[in-house]
Amino acid sequence: MLRIAVPNKGSLSGPAGEMLHEAGYQQRRESKELRIVDPTNEVEFFYLRPRDIAIYVASGQLDIGITGRDLLIDSGAEAEEILPLGFARSTFHYATKPGGIGGLADLAGKTVATSYEGIVAAHLRDNGIDAAVVHLDGAVETAIQLGVAQVIADVVETGTSLRNAGLEVVGEPIMKSEAVVIRRTGTAGAADVEPKVQQFLRRLQGVLVARTYVMMDYDCRVEQLEKAVALTPGLESPTVSPLHNEGWVAVRAMVPSKEAQRIMDDLYDIGARAILTTAIHACRL
């Protein structure tokens, strides 16, 4: 069986479980379950702490895993990203008291508190900045107030927590993260595992596409078909079928869901009618 690590809690856990369910995999019913077997799909899921998943995958005990890009890089484990999943997005920034530091170069000689020591130490090293890094678990906003550090490095979403702590963002983002599928470095092509891994990835890619596109159907006059197809080119090309009434055709194409309303308006303006959109639940491209 394909052995897969899944986050057992936190912001990664719920969306990962939903995506796997949409991809047709059995998921646990109780949060206390640490392992389940999906015999139909020949997959075994292990529910682990998100911070530990890269370590387990790198050890070779598990074939692939779902974790955050930030956690993968911070772990320093011999594992690599093979598919971004588009959820649990976050941005890492340095932050400090207003007016304290103007830019990255000003971090030299300072102490930076963070829960992501590996990421921060590597970023400082790559930029030639000689600064001390202090590892703290959990919220790090109070590190400056208590004199543990002059700067913190943490996830910044809305910035509300920083402002409440009297801090402001410094410089450009350290990195941008999201949920990713990972595997042990250098294991691609293993004859016994690779087909199952590729099938798993295709299923997840199908979910990503289904979430991004909708199917659009409409009728239009033949003389307006080229204009209509320009608005709905589809992936390869749209499906066009003649209607019973001469001079009319039915068109079907996948369109980006975010643009669907605008496309419907544009189609209506050129004379298309009976314009419908339907959700896509699964696909293979």
Side-chain angles (χ1 to χ4, degrees), residues 95-206:
T96 188
K97 293 181 179 179
I101 292 175
L104 186 61
D106 295 333
L107 296 179
K110 302 294 192 299
T111 299
V112 183
T114 183
S115 298
Y116 298 84
E117 184 178 1
I119 291 175
V120 175
H123 185 260
L124 292 170
R125 183 173 61 253
D126 292 344
N127 286 276
I129 305 298
D130 184 13
V133 180
V134 175
H135 178 85
L136 296 176
D137 285 323
V140 297
E141 290 90 346
T142 57
I144 296 176
Q145 180 183 355
L146 297 176
V148 174
Q150 295 86 41
V151 184
I152 66 168
D154 203 6
V155 175
V156 177
E157 295 180 354
T158 63
T160 300
S161 296
L162 290 181
R163 287 191 295 271
N164 290 341
L167 305 177
E168 66 178 8
V169 166
V170 175
E172 297 298 317
I174 301 170
M175 70 167 295
K176 293 187 177 182
S177 181
E178 64 181 292
V180 296
V181 179
I182 65 171
R183 73 185 310 164
R184 185 180 181 186
T185 303
T187 57
D192 58 337
V193 174
E194 189 64 18
K196 296 178 182 178
V197 170
Q198 292 305 317
Q199 181 186 69
F200 179 79
L201 295 178
R202 282 195 298 271
R203 287 197 182 193
L204 294 190
Q205 287 167 334

Side-chain angles (χ1 to χ4, degrees), residues 26-100:
Q26 180 181 331
Q27 288 296 287
R28 62 180 181 174
R29 297 180 179 178
E30 301 291 337
S31 60
K32 293 182 180 180
E33 291 182 274
L34 301 180
R35 170 185 170 273
I36 67 165
V37 175
D38 181 349
T40 301
N41 293 298
E42 298 183 336
V43 173
E44 189 173 9
F45 291 104
F46 294 83
Y47 296 87
L48 306 169
R49 290 181 67 248
R51 276 191 171 273
D52 296 337
I53 287 176
I55 308 275
Y56 280 105
V57 171
S59 74
Q61 298 303 309
L62 300 178
D63 300 307
I64 53 178
I66 296 176
T67 189
R69 181 181 295 130
D70 53 345
L71 299 175
L72 167 64
I73 295 173
D74 194 61
S75 72
E78 294 286 325
E80 60 187 359
E81 173 184 333
I82 56 175
L83 179 67
L85 297 178
F87 63 85
R89 289 192 171 102
S90 59
T91 304
F92 283 76
H93 276 283
Y94 295 109
T96 188
K97 293 181 179 179

Side-chain angles (χ1 to χ4, degrees), residues 208-251:
L208 292 172
V209 172
R211 290 177 172 183
T212 305
Y213 288 84
V214 294
M215 189 66 73
M216 185 169 289
D217 293 89
Y218 58 90
D219 301 338
C220 76
R221 297 285 305 177
V222 172
E223 55 267 26
Q224 298 299 327
L225 181 58
E226 290 305 314
K227 291 181 180 179
V229 168
L231 293 171
T232 59
L235 297 185
E236 281 81 23
S237 66
T239 300
V240 179
S241 305
L243 294 179
H244 179 72
N245 289 340
E246 187 175 352
W248 284 83
V249 292
V251 183

